[in-house]
């Protein structure tokens, strides 16, 4: 079989016990805002995701689920079960010309699951480093990787700034015609067939679609005939994003259909979420204000769905605060592994099952960028610093604070910081303590100076262009 060399690395110490563990499929959209999920848009935004809606109807919807407001920070939070700030990723994302990436010291969700007897795979976007062999998904617990290493790629020729960025287990893969979202699904279905038929191990499949993220030239891409199906009232970019969402939803349906065809639906967890909110004027973060890269809820408040028939109640809602950092401990401890201290993330599985109280008194760090821009939520309150200007020498908190009660003001339109100073003081105290805790983990290179102007990194440095062959060499080294 094509993928046999991957699967033989799965060692099930106790085959009977391994078979009882659920398969896990985690699907992460890229820049898909809250209002682009059909069931959250209340019909007003005209986005259509019938497959995702069906998974929500059959599972649990996390209505207060938060991410970080951009790509890499969210993904390292998921991979590690810890806030991105602990790994030096408070800001935006990894650029192609940098050597930053996932630290060697991180034990990833894939590594935890391999220890538990799982065979593991990643399809799609990595974006956690590509210039060191240790940053490869193949060195971070994944038995099989098919996808792009950088932030995005062309949906047809699979290039990132003109250079092919598509790899299969460390080898350059060439496909210049198949729409990328469909190609990823094609590969995933083949891998699933082999994982189920040729091994007794449970599997973990991380499907990291790049859709509806733009390509490296900031262009959205979808077949013209699909774009023509979009609502006439949408602008040109919104029509393309609508089509990209629609195609992705159809590909998720292909995955779910294959799960049922393989007879494993009753023993498979399917999780669906997005890494952050949408960019305005093409996506929808309804009913929230703000967008990707910002600290209002539009940038980091997205749906999360946990589908596990017969275990998690259908059409149920988890309305207590949850975060991307909770996925790893919830998955790892949810399959029966012994308790581990994940520092930041919580195991929500007992409260999802109704066997324990929900963590109603927790707080979440929504963003924390070395005093430039930060946010925190506790109960219904979010305290945000708008980041308009960093404080000299980073010695004190900024005075650009905004306080909102999102339980009564979901659009975050009414600032309460003057009328509720005691709430501001309480939340500010938490931020100040965490700032000192995270400070020494911040990356201090020159990249931070370019964080709000990424183009010079591409046009001013050409390292990505001549490094790609070296990257493929590194990724193809023996594991």
């Amino acid at each position: 079989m094509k993928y046999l060399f991957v699967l033989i690395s799965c060692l099930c110490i106790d085959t009977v016990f391994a078979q009882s563990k659920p398969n896990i499929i985690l699907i992460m959209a890229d820049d898909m805002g809250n209002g682009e999920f059909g069931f959250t848009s209340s019909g007003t935004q005209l986005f259509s995701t019938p497959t995702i809606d069906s998974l929500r109807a059959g599972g649990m919807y996390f209505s207060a689920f938060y991410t970080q407001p951009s790509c890499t920070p969210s993904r390292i939070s998921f991979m590690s079960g810890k806030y991105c700030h602990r790994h030096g990723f408070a800001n935006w994302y990894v650029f192609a010309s940098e050597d930053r990436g996932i630290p060697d010291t991180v034990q990833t969700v894939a590594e935890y699951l391999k220890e538990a007897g799982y065979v593991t795979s990643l399809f799609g976007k990595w974006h956690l480093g590509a210039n060191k062999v240790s940053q490869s998904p193949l060195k971070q617990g994944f038995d099989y990787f098919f996808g792009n290493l950088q932030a995005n790629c062309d949906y047809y020729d699979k290039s990132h700034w003109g250079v092919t960025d598509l790899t299969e287990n460390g080898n350059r893969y060439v496909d210049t015609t198949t729409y990328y979202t469909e190609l990823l699904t094609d590969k995933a279905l083949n891998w699933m067939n082999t994982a189920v038929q040729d091994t007794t191990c449970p599997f973990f499949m991380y499907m990291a679609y790049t859709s509806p993220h733009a390509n490296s030239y900031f262009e959205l891409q979808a077949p013209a005939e699909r774009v023509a199906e979009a609502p006439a009232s949408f602008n040109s970019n919104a029509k393309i994003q609508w089509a990209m969402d629609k195609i992705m939803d159809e590909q998720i349906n292909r995955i779910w259909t294959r799960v049922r065809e393989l007879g494993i639906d009753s023993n498979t967890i399917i999780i669906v979420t997005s890494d952050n909110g949408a960019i305005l004027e093409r996506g929808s973060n309804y009913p929230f204000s703000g967008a990707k890269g910002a600290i209002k809820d539009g940038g980091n408040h997205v749906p999360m769905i946990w589908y596990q028939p017969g275990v998690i109640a259908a059409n149920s809602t988890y309305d207590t605060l949850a975060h991307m950092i909770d996925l790893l401990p919830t998955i790892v401890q949810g399959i029966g592994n012994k308790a581990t201290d994940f520092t930041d993330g919580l195991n929500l599985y007992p409260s999802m099952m109704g066997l324990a109280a929900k963590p109603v008194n927790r707080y979440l760090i929504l963003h924390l960028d070395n005093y430039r821009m930060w946010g925190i939520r506790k109960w219904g309150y979010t305290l945000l610093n708008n980041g308009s200007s960093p404080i000299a020498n980073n010695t004190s908190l900024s005075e650009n604070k905004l306080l909102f009660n999102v339980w009564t003001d979901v659009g975050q339109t009414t600032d309460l910081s003057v009328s509720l100073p005691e709430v501001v003081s309480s939340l500010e105290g938490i931020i100040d303590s965490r700032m000192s805790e995270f400070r020494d983990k911040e990356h201090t290179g020159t990249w931070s100076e370019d964080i709000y102007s990424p183009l010079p990194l591409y046009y001013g440095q050409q390292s990505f262009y001549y490094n790609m062959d070296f990257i493929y060499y590194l990724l193809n080294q023996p594991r």
Side-chain angles (χ1 to χ4, degrees):
M1 294 296 291
K2 185 173 183 180
Y3 300 97
L4 186 58
F5 71 97
V6 173
L7 299 177
I8 59 175
S9 66
C10 173
L11 300 177
C12 296
I13 298 173
D14 183 339
T15 301
V16 174
F17 183 53
Q19 287 177 326
S20 68
K21 293 182 178 181
N23 304 301
I24 304 165
I25 300 173
L26 191 142
I27 300 169
M28 189 178 295
D30 196 353
D31 292 4
M32 187 174 181
N34 189 78
E36 293 168 61
F37 292 75
F39 71 92
T40 61
S41 67
S42 300
T44 61
Q45 304 302 298
L46 303 178
F47 281 90
S48 175
T49 57
T51 304
I52 296 175
D53 296 354
S54 294
L55 287 167
R56 185 269 176 272
M60 178 172 284
Y61 160 49
F62 286 66
S63 61
F65 185 78
Y66 282 84
T67 68
Q68 297 299 319
S70 57
C71 307
T72 301
S74 281
R75 293 164 196 272
I76 190 70
S77 296
F78 159 58
M79 278 288 154
S80 67
K82 297 179 174 66
Y83 283 119
C84 57
H85 320 90
R86 295 191 183 279
H87 312 301
F89 285 104
N91 295 289
W92 286 82
Y93 45 76
V94 174
F95 295 109
S97 55
E98 297 182 90
D99 64 0
R100 288 191 308 144
I102 187 168
D104 296 347
T105 54
V106 171
Q107 184 169 5
T108 68
V109 61
E111 289 172 323
Y112 276 110
L113 291 174
K114 277 182 66 67
E115 288 180 355
Y118 279 70
V119 61
T120 59
S121 64
L122 164 59
F123 297 87
K125 177 173 174 173
W126 176 235
H127 207 197
L128 291 176
N131 288 320
K132 294 180 180 178
V133 66
S134 63
Q135 297 166 354
S136 163
L138 303 177
K139 298 293 186 179
Q140 295 292 335
F142 290 99
D143 297 311
Y144 177 79
F145 169 54
F146 179 86
N148 57 299
L149 295 166
Q150 306 296 345
N152 47 40
C153 67
D154 188 275
Y155 282 79
Y156 293 100
D157 68 23
K158 321 305 186 294
S159 66
H160 180 80
W161 293 102
V163 180
T164 299
D165 182 15
L166 183 60
T167 178
E168 182 174 37
N169 269 16
N171 299 304
R172 191 189 302 269
Y173 190 96
V174 178
D175 182 304
T176 59
T177 57
T178 310
Y179 189 68
Y180 192 36
T181 309
E182 296 173 345
L183 177 62
L184 291 174
T185 310
D186 291 344
K187 286 289 187 176
L189 296 183
N190 289 339
W191 185 87
M192 286 172 62
N193 287 344
T194 306
V196 172
Q197 296 169 6
D198 290 0
T199 179
T200 56
C201 299
F203 70 79
F204 168 58
M205 186 176 85
Y206 173 28
M207 172 56 80
Y209 286 117
T210 56
S211 191
H213 197 294
N215 65 19
S216 55
Y217 296 101
F218 312 107
E219 302 165 333
L220 299 175
Q221 294 177 289
E225 64 273 15
R226 302 307 306 271
V227 176
E229 300 171 8
S233 60
F234 281 15
N235 65 41
S236 57
N237 272 333
K239 287 180 179 179
I240 303 174
Q241 183 130 337
W242 181 95
M244 296 173 80
D245 289 346
K246 186 71 172 178
I247 293 170
M248 180 169 54
D249 186 77
E250 292 167 354
Q251 302 311 301
I252 294 172
N253 184 56
R254 291 178 64 198
I255 292 172
W256 192 15
T257 298
R258 183 58 52 87
V259 167
R260 288 175 287 194
E261 290 172 347
L262 291 169
I264 57 175
D265 189 53
S266 63
N267 195 39
T268 298
I269 299 169
I270 301 177
I271 302 167
V272 181
T273 190
S274 178
D275 65 343
N276 47 250
I279 294 176
L280 298 180
E281 305 303 325
R282 64 192 196 204
S284 171
N285 298 313
Y286 174 88
F288 309 130
S289 58
K292 176 183 178 178
I295 51 176
K296 283 192 173 183
D297 274 21
N300 54 18
H301 188 165
V302 298
M304 198 271 278
I305 298 164
W306 186 292
Y307 171 85
Q308 191 177 6
V311 178
I312 298 299
N315 202 31
S316 57
T317 299
Y318 194 95
D319 58 4
T320 304
L321 290 181
H323 193 279
M324 195 71 79
I325 57 175
D326 299 326
L327 285 177
L328 187 155
T330 303
I331 289 171
V332 170
Q333 295 180 0
I335 63 169
N337 275 30
K338 63 181 180 181
T340 303
D341 179 11
F342 292 100
T343 307
D344 299 320
L346 300 180
N347 173 18
L348 303 179
Y349 209 72
S351 58
M352 291 164 59
M353 298 279 290
L355 301 176
K358 294 178 180 178
V360 294
N361 290 317
R362 77 182 301 196
Y363 63 83
L364 296 177
I365 302 296
L366 306 181
H367 191 67
L368 202 162
D369 176 12
N370 208 18
Y371 292 100
R372 181 191 299 269
M373 185 169 71
W374 50 263
I376 181 173
R377 177 170 172 181
K378 187 172 184 181
W379 302 306
Y381 291 108
T382 56
L383 180 66
L384 312 175
N385 174 64
N386 64 18
S388 59
S389 60
I391 294 300
N393 301 319
N394 295 332
T395 56
S396 62
L397 293 175
S398 170
E399 296 302 321
N400 302 308
K401 295 183 291 292
L402 301 170
L403 179 69
F404 301 103
N405 184 341
V406 294
W407 285 344
T408 59
D409 178 22
V410 68
Q412 295 172 298
T413 59
T414 304
D415 178 23
L416 303 174
S417 60
V418 175
S419 59
L420 295 173
E422 68 283 0
V423 177
V424 172
S425 178
S426 174
L427 297 181
E428 190 177 62
I430 297 172
I431 281 288
D432 211 6
S433 66
R434 299 309 292 270
M435 194 78 74
S436 60
E437 179 184 353
F438 292 145
R439 179 190 293 279
D440 63 345
K441 301 295 191 298
E442 288 290 335
H443 186 94
T444 56
T446 57
W447 67 274
S448 60
E449 300 170 5
D450 296 305
I451 194 140
Y452 299 110
S453 180
L455 289 180
L457 283 167
Y458 290 113
Y459 290 109
Q461 301 180 32
Q462 301 299 315
S463 62
F464 175 59
Y465 292 94
Y466 60 73
N467 270 352
M468 281 307 293
D469 285 332
F470 181 59
I471 289 170
Y472 284 114
Y473 166 77
L474 288 178
L475 295 183
N476 203 32
Q477 295 307 294
R479 299 197 291 279

